[in-house]
Amino acid sequence: MKIISVVGARPNFMKIAPFIRAIEAYNRENKPGIGHILVHTGQHYDDRMNRAFFEALDIPDADINLGIGSGSHAEQVGQTMIAFEKVLQKQKPDWVVVVGDVNATCACSITAKKELVRLAHIEAGLRSRDMSMPEEINRLVTDRLADLLLTPDRLSGENLRNEGVPEERICFVGNIMIDTLEAQRGKAEGLGLGSVIEGHLHKDGNQKAEDGRRKTEDRGQRTEIRDEGFAVMTMHRPSNVDFPDVLGALVDFLCDEVCGEMPLVWPIHPRTEGNLKKFGLWEKVAGTKNMVLLNPVGYHEMLRLNMAARVMLTDSGGLQEECCVLGTPCLTLRWNTERPVTLKEHGGASVLVGNEIARLKKAFRETLKEERRPVRPELWDGRTAGRCLEAIVSADNS
Ligand code: UD1
């Protein structure tokens, strides 16, 4: 059997790493083994969003890089399809395996099915029911086309059944990201908080303090980051960062409320940094006492921050899941989530707060009273990748 698996953007990398390990383990036990080709569409290309993750998670270099880069959605999806079609025609795989919900996932799914190649989707069945999210469109298209839908939780399976997906295509395997979390937890624990911060301080993000003259180094040392004594923040969704009034109100909340209470460590996504600068908000953020702006951090560094944070503020889906397993109280800066299993009403650690400031303030205050409470949804046990591969092998034989 020959498999092509696809990655494109940062959240894909922690999902593909355990799958590659599972193929390697299978090939040690079985002859003939599985032929595997890793294709990177090139959607994320900055070293800190890309190479750093390949190195940290020991992912082999992609066999083929399509070099797509940034662009509009149509540009990214269209160019990926054109390039990936050539790969499929040359390589003739039996299966294409896609993960998650980024543009690469959708583009390569369409191309695979048009080339009559069987398609497996890892992380199938997630639904936010918010069609303004590009990821929701990617999920719907991918799941409509996939031959094998590998789901992370039981709610996702229900979503697929409600959409009429035949039972024999659905396989509940658990959450593959948690395989990576469990494999890397020990290494993350070994990192010093101070060195994580100092190693990633944003060069022009920490220059101004109340005296207006303090240098980056001074800020890093002065803002004391202690276990359970700081907040962490990540934000990159267009709905939060693309509109000046929305982003401005969020910045006021972060600088006035959160930083008034405790240090806020904010590894900043390139899209968010660009918009803060464009909307004239960068000076305020960079100049606020207790605000610690970082460049995008690596996998272990983020895990270390998450393990030690008093509270997480995020619009990332993956972080909601990691907070659930680590027990970090999580304020999700969205009105909906495709991952309801991570919400408090389902036993998780996260509450939806959208981007309405009054609601955010209230939830933030309430969260400060909470304790860390780890929760492990069914089959989030660190062994999902093996079940994914087993399901593909079994579907290939049937
Ligand atoms: C993409 C995914 C999103 C995922 C996120 C994680 C889609 C639809 N979105 O969003 O689901 O949560 O990745 O980060 O696939 N840029 C760089 N360097 C890079 C990559 C991007 O500077 O290596 C900048 C470019 O200005 C680009 C912008 O970031 O235009 C946005 O990048 P893009 O890949 O379009 O989407 P993300 O917002 O990263």
Side-chain angles (χ1 to χ4, degrees):
M1 179 175 34
K2 184 171 179 182
I3 294 178
I4 288 188
S5 54
V6 176
V7 290
R10 183 170 61 178
N12 291 161
F13 306 144
M14 33 291 214
K15 296 170 193 165
I16 217 64
F19 185 68
I20 293 175
R21 296 283 106 73
I23 293 178
E24 288 165 357
Y26 180 94
N27 285 350
R28 282 194 292 275
E29 301 286 321
N30 296 277
K31 295 278 172 280
I34 293 169
H36 178 242
I37 293 174
L38 180 62
V39 171
H40 191 327
T41 66
Q43 179 177 343
H44 282 177
Y45 46 84
D46 279 3
D47 279 353
R48 290 190 179 108
M49 308 278 286
N50 178 45
R51 170 130 301 283
F53 285 80
F54 272 67
E55 283 168 8
L57 302 178
D58 208 14
I59 304 172
D61 282 345
D63 300 290
I64 299 167
N65 192 315
L66 306 180
I68 301 305
S70 297
S72 71
H73 287 275
E75 282 165 344
Q76 284 184 341
V77 171
Q79 283 166 16
T80 301
M81 287 178 65
I82 293 167
F84 192 56
E85 183 182 61
K86 296 190 179 82
V87 172
L88 292 180
Q89 287 170 351
K90 183 157 180 229
Q91 299 293 341
K92 301 196 184 317
D94 301 295
W95 286 86
V96 165
V97 175
V98 293
V99 295
D101 55 16
V102 302
N103 285 338
T105 315
C106 166
C108 293
S109 296
I110 299 173
T111 318
K113 291 314 296 172
K114 285 187 181 262
E115 287 297 307
L116 308 178
V117 179
R118 275 175 290 179
L119 175 69
H121 182 204
I122 299 180
E123 205 185 76
L126 297 181
R127 295 290 181 269
S128 68
R129 302 191 171 79
D130 175 357
M131 292 299 283
S132 69
M133 265 185 104
E135 293 81 5
E136 183 72 356
I137 299 168
N138 293 339
R139 291 180 202 115
L140 285 165
V141 170
T142 303
D143 286 345
R144 185 69 186 82
L145 296 175
D147 299 276
L148 185 58
L149 296 106
L150 301 161
T151 58
D153 53 55
R154 294 204 180 269
L155 298 171
S156 303
E158 284 313 306
N159 289 337
L160 295 173
R161 286 181 194 97
N162 291 338
E163 289 172 15
V165 176
E167 191 62 39
E168 61 273 17
R169 292 191 180 190
I170 305 171
C171 185
F172 173 36
V173 291
N175 188 337
I176 200 161
M177 276 221 348
I178 305 304
D179 290 23
T180 298
L181 187 150
E182 293 305 340
Q184 306 297 337
R185 196 191 263 268
K187 188 166 173 197
E189 273 161 358
L191 296 176
L193 263 184
S195 64
V196 170
I197 303 289
E198 276 148 41
H200 293 83
L201 277 180
H202 195 293
K203 77 171 166 24
D204 50 71
N206 297 280
Q207 283 171 342
K208 287 203 297 169
E210 63 273 31
D211 62 4
R213 282 181 289 114
R214 218 181 271 160
K215 291 201 218 88
T216 303
E217 294 75 17
D218 296 335
R219 278 290 308 281
Q221 285 156 8
R222 269 173 178 240
T223 309
E224 198 191 344
I225 307 294
R226 283 175 292 103
D227 278 278
E228 305 293 336
F230 65 98
V232 184
M233 155 98 194
T234 80
M235 184 164 72
H236 71 283
R237 301 252 166 234
S239 55
N240 285 328
V241 307
D242 281 5
F243 306 100
D245 50 338
V246 175
L247 188 57
L250 284 168
V251 161
D252 287 343
F253 165 73
L254 297 168
C255 293
D256 303 342
E257 291 282 321
V258 181
C259 291
E261 189 69 39
M262 62 179 76
L264 173 61
V265 178
W266 184 357
I268 202 145
H269 187 286
R271 171 198 281 278
T272 311
E273 176 174 342
N275 284 348
L276 286 171
K277 289 179 174 163
K278 192 160 93 193
F279 304 154
L281 298 165
W282 183 258
E283 297 304 314
K284 172 158 186 174
V285 172
T288 295
K289 185 165 181 281
N290 259 349
M291 176 71 81
V292 182
L293 282 184
L294 304 185
N295 293 309
V297 298
Y299 180 80
H300 297 99
E301 288 79 4
M302 193 65 210
L303 191 51
R304 178 69 179 90
L305 291 172
N306 195 351
M307 282 170 171
R310 182 85 190 76
V311 53
M312 170 73 69
L313 297 105
T314 189
D315 60 11
S316 145
L319 279 168
Q320 285 170 57
E321 296 177 334
E322 288 163 347
C323 284
C324 183
V325 170
L326 298 173
T328 318
C330 175
L331 300 181
T332 299
L333 301 162
R334 292 175 49 188
W335 294 112
N336 50 57
T337 178
E338 62 287 342
R339 295 166 161 91
V341 76
T342 63
L343 294 177
K344 276 191 183 159
E345 53 261 43
H346 290 277
S350 152
V351 282
L352 293 176
V353 291
N355 47 28
E356 190 202 1
I357 302 309
R359 192 163 159 158
L360 253 169
K361 278 187 187 168
K362 187 161 173 279
F364 177 63
R365 295 281 150 206
E366 280 166 11
T367 300
L368 294 184
K369 296 181 211 140
E370 285 173 21
E371 295 292 314
R372 181 175 288 279
R373 198 175 52 83
V375 170
R376 193 173 290 277
E378 190 181 355
L379 294 190
W380 291 27
D381 58 359
R383 298 205 298 270
T384 291
R387 289 189 286 268
C388 290
L389 190 60
E390 229 171 79
I392 295 169
V393 169
S394 147
D396 192 61
N397 292 331
S398 63

